Amino acid sequence: MKQAATCPDLPWDREEFKSQLLALGIHYHIHHPFNLKMNNGQLTPDQIRAWVANRFYYQINIPQKDGAILANCPDREARRKWILRIHDHDGWEGNAGGIEAWARLGEAVGIPRSELWSLCHVVPGVRFAVDAYVNFARQSPWQEGVCSSLTEMFAPKIHKERLANWPSLYPWIEAQGLQYFRSRISLAERDVVHGLQVTLDHFTTRTQQQRALEILQFKLDVLWSMMDAIELACSGRI
């Protein structure tokens, strides 16, 4: 007897839905040509500095994005977990936080702190992409904002590669400046557990699950567009 075809309108079970989300990792900016050059030691010091300065705009906007998700979230327990992300970047008590760690990366590659904070090197394409992401978090249901954060599923690999390769490929970068990448490995893994739980619990119909894939693809496009803009700005920095 011929087996009946699976109904395309039926929701995926949790494992299949998770697999569908993970499959979008092929679009993560780890595969962007500019990142491949970076990871192969093919960037000049000026190009590394341009990347660090432009990514800093993303870093300082992460707490605003997370604050927007909190503002839209009526769930107290979800807020208690999500607020940790703001602490991770802004810092608290004795922990300087991720923004400060990125500022130290800036110093390690030769960008004076005041110059980094001035945002004078941030190109329009990066501003546009990052602002679009923050506005998405402000205007969307909090569960959609959470879903957009799931690019963290793919982040530990990119951090590990930089920790493994940069000391030999870019020995001129002061080693203490790489602490940001080191700290984000465990934090990203922690954040993914909560983000996935919210996403798998909330997006339960096939239509909702397809929406979740669209949201994650949007965030991947934000990161890819940032790399496009940085690569274009760096095209003359040889």
Side-chain angles (χ1 to χ4, degrees), residues 126-144:
V126 168
R127 286 183 183 272
F128 186 86
V130 173
D131 291 352
Y133 180 38
V134 175
N135 286 333
F136 172 83
R138 287 175 177 152
Q139 298 168 8
S140 302
W142 70 275
Q143 297 96 334
E144 293 195 356

Side-chain angles (χ1 to χ4, degrees), residues 3-13 16 205-207 209-210:
Q3 187 174 6
T6 302
C7 178
D9 295 326
L10 290 176
W12 293 306
D13 62 32
E16 178 58 26
T205 69
R206 178 63 74 89
T207 298
Q209 291 169 339
Q210 293 288 359

Side-chain angles (χ1 to χ4, degrees), residues 22 31 34 43 59 61 81 84 95 113 127 150 154 156 158 162-163 169 182 200 209 211 215 235:
L22 287 168
H31 304 295
F34 190 81
L43 298 190
Q59 301 302 323
N61 274 278
K81 293 178 180 178
L84 296 176
N95 188 319
R113 182 175 289 259
R127 286 183 183 272
L150 287 179
F154 317 119
I158 206 170
R162 289 170 185 155
L163 289 168
L169 296 176
R182 190 171 293 109
L200 297 177
Q209 291 169 339
R211 172 62 178 161
I215 292 166
S235 59

Side-chain angles (χ1 to χ4, degrees), residues 155-219:
K157 178 175 170 55
I158 206 170
H159 298 320
K160 290 175 183 177
E161 287 185 354
R162 289 170 185 155
L163 289 168
N165 297 334
W166 278 32
S168 59
L169 296 176
Y170 305 107
W172 54 272
I173 300 176
E174 298 177 10
Q176 64 268 28
L178 304 183
Q179 177 57 31
Y180 176 86
F181 305 132
R182 190 171 293 109
S183 67
R184 284 307 305 170
I185 294 172
S186 60
L187 293 177
E189 291 170 346
R190 178 207 68 193
D191 290 345
V192 165
V193 172
H194 180 222
L196 264 178
Q197 178 187 345
V198 170
T199 299
L200 297 177
D201 286 348
H202 177 73
F203 297 88
T204 55
T205 69
R206 178 63 74 89
T207 298
Q208 290 174 328
Q209 291 169 339
Q210 293 288 359
R211 172 62 178 161
L213 295 178
E214 292 171 0
I215 292 166
L216 183 54
Q217 184 62 60
F218 159 74
K219 174 61 183 307

Side-chain angles (χ1 to χ4, degrees), residues 34-45:
F34 190 81
N35 186 74
L36 296 178
K37 291 177 183 177
M38 185 190 305
N39 202 45
N40 290 329
Q42 296 175 278
L43 298 190
T44 67

Side-chain angles (χ1 to χ4, degrees), residues 52 56 94-113 116-117 173-181:
V52 171
F56 185 64
N95 188 319
I99 291 175
E100 173 60 21
W102 197 273
R104 292 175 184 173
L105 173 62
E107 291 177 321
V109 302
I111 307 173
R113 182 175 289 259
L116 184 71
W117 275 100
I173 300 176
E174 298 177 10
Q176 64 268 28
L178 304 183
Q179 177 57 31
Y180 176 86
F181 305 132

